[in-house]
Short mmCIF file of all heavy atoms in Angstrom, two decimals:
data_model
loop_
_atom_site.label_atom_id
_atom_site.label_comp_id
_atom_site.label_asym_id
_atom_site.label_seq_id
_atom_site.Cartn_x
_atom_site.Cartn_y
_atom_site.Cartn_z
N LEU A 182 65.73 105.84 51.43
CA LEU A 182 65.15 106.09 50.11
C LEU A 182 65.53 107.45 49.54
O LEU A 182 65.87 107.55 48.35
CB LEU A 182 63.63 105.92 50.17
CG LEU A 182 63.15 104.47 50.26
CD1 LEU A 182 61.64 104.41 50.46
CD2 LEU A 182 63.53 103.68 49.01
N PRO A 183 65.50 108.53 50.34
CA PRO A 183 65.97 109.81 49.79
C PRO A 183 67.41 109.73 49.29
O PRO A 183 67.78 110.37 48.30
CB PRO A 183 65.84 110.78 50.97
CG PRO A 183 64.76 110.20 51.81
CD PRO A 183 64.95 108.70 51.70
N LEU A 184 68.23 108.93 49.97
CA LEU A 184 69.63 108.79 49.58
C LEU A 184 69.77 108.16 48.20
O LEU A 184 70.49 108.65 47.34
CB LEU A 184 70.38 107.95 50.62
CG LEU A 184 71.84 107.61 50.29
CD1 LEU A 184 72.68 108.88 50.29
CD2 LEU A 184 72.38 106.60 51.30
N VAL A 185 69.04 107.07 47.99
CA VAL A 185 69.20 106.35 46.72
C VAL A 185 68.42 106.99 45.58
O VAL A 185 68.81 106.88 44.41
CB VAL A 185 68.81 104.86 46.86
CG1 VAL A 185 69.72 104.17 47.86
CG2 VAL A 185 67.35 104.70 47.26
N LEU A 186 67.31 107.67 45.90
CA LEU A 186 66.51 108.27 44.85
C LEU A 186 66.94 109.69 44.50
O LEU A 186 66.78 110.14 43.37
CB LEU A 186 65.02 108.30 45.26
CG LEU A 186 64.31 106.96 45.33
CD1 LEU A 186 62.88 107.17 45.82
CD2 LEU A 186 64.30 106.28 43.97
N GLY A 187 67.42 110.40 45.51
CA GLY A 187 67.81 111.78 45.30
C GLY A 187 66.65 112.66 44.89
O GLY A 187 66.79 113.60 44.13
N ALA A 188 65.44 112.32 45.40
CA ALA A 188 64.24 113.06 44.99
C ALA A 188 63.81 114.01 46.10
O ALA A 188 64.15 113.83 47.27
CB ALA A 188 63.10 112.09 44.70
N GLY A 189 63.02 115.01 45.72
CA GLY A 189 62.43 115.91 46.71
C GLY A 189 61.42 115.16 47.54
O GLY A 189 60.84 114.18 47.08
N HIS A 190 61.16 115.64 48.75
CA HIS A 190 60.31 114.92 49.71
C HIS A 190 58.95 114.54 49.14
O HIS A 190 58.64 113.37 48.98
CB HIS A 190 60.12 115.77 50.96
CG HIS A 190 59.25 115.15 52.00
ND1 HIS A 190 59.74 114.62 53.17
CD2 HIS A 190 57.91 114.96 52.05
CE1 HIS A 190 58.75 114.15 53.88
NE2 HIS A 190 57.62 114.34 53.22
N ALA A 191 58.11 115.51 48.83
CA ALA A 191 56.74 115.21 48.41
C ALA A 191 56.71 114.41 47.12
O ALA A 191 56.00 113.42 46.99
CB ALA A 191 55.94 116.51 48.26
N ALA A 192 57.48 114.85 46.12
CA ALA A 192 57.48 114.16 44.84
C ALA A 192 57.95 112.72 44.99
O ALA A 192 57.39 111.80 44.39
CB ALA A 192 58.36 114.91 43.85
N GLY A 193 58.98 112.53 45.79
CA GLY A 193 59.52 111.18 45.95
C GLY A 193 58.53 110.25 46.61
O GLY A 193 58.34 109.11 46.16
N VAL A 194 57.88 110.69 47.66
CA VAL A 194 56.91 109.86 48.38
C VAL A 194 55.73 109.53 47.47
O VAL A 194 55.30 108.37 47.40
CB VAL A 194 56.42 110.57 49.66
CG1 VAL A 194 55.19 109.88 50.23
CG2 VAL A 194 57.54 110.62 50.70
N GLU A 195 55.20 110.50 46.77
CA GLU A 195 54.06 110.25 45.90
C GLU A 195 54.42 109.29 44.77
O GLU A 195 53.61 108.43 44.39
CB GLU A 195 53.52 111.57 45.36
CG GLU A 195 52.86 112.42 46.44
CD GLU A 195 52.31 113.72 45.89
OE1 GLU A 195 52.40 113.93 44.66
OE2 GLU A 195 51.80 114.52 46.69
N ARG A 196 55.60 109.41 44.22
CA ARG A 196 56.05 108.49 43.17
C ARG A 196 56.13 107.06 43.70
O ARG A 196 55.77 106.10 43.01
CB ARG A 196 57.41 108.92 42.63
CG ARG A 196 57.37 110.14 41.71
CD ARG A 196 58.77 110.65 41.43
NE ARG A 196 59.64 109.60 40.91
CZ ARG A 196 60.96 109.64 41.02
NH1 ARG A 196 61.57 110.65 41.63
NH2 ARG A 196 61.69 108.67 40.51
N LEU A 197 56.59 106.92 44.92
CA LEU A 197 56.71 105.59 45.51
C LEU A 197 55.34 105.00 45.82
O LEU A 197 55.14 103.79 45.66
CB LEU A 197 57.57 105.65 46.78
CG LEU A 197 59.06 105.90 46.52
CD1 LEU A 197 59.78 106.24 47.81
CD2 LEU A 197 59.71 104.67 45.87
N VAL A 198 54.41 105.82 46.28
CA VAL A 198 53.05 105.34 46.51
C VAL A 198 52.44 104.87 45.19
O VAL A 198 51.83 103.80 45.12
CB VAL A 198 52.18 106.42 47.16
CG1 VAL A 198 50.71 105.99 47.18
CG2 VAL A 198 52.66 106.71 48.59
N ASP A 199 52.62 105.64 44.13
CA ASP A 199 52.09 105.25 42.82
C ASP A 199 52.72 103.95 42.34
O ASP A 199 52.03 103.08 41.78
CB ASP A 199 52.36 106.36 41.79
CG ASP A 199 51.46 107.57 41.99
OD1 ASP A 199 50.36 107.41 42.56
OD2 ASP A 199 51.86 108.67 41.58
#
Side-chain angles (χ1 to χ4, degrees):
L182 286 174
L184 175 66
V185 297
L186 290 177
H190 179 106
V194 167
E195 290 181 2
R196 285 169 54 204
L197 289 168
V198 170
D199 287 335

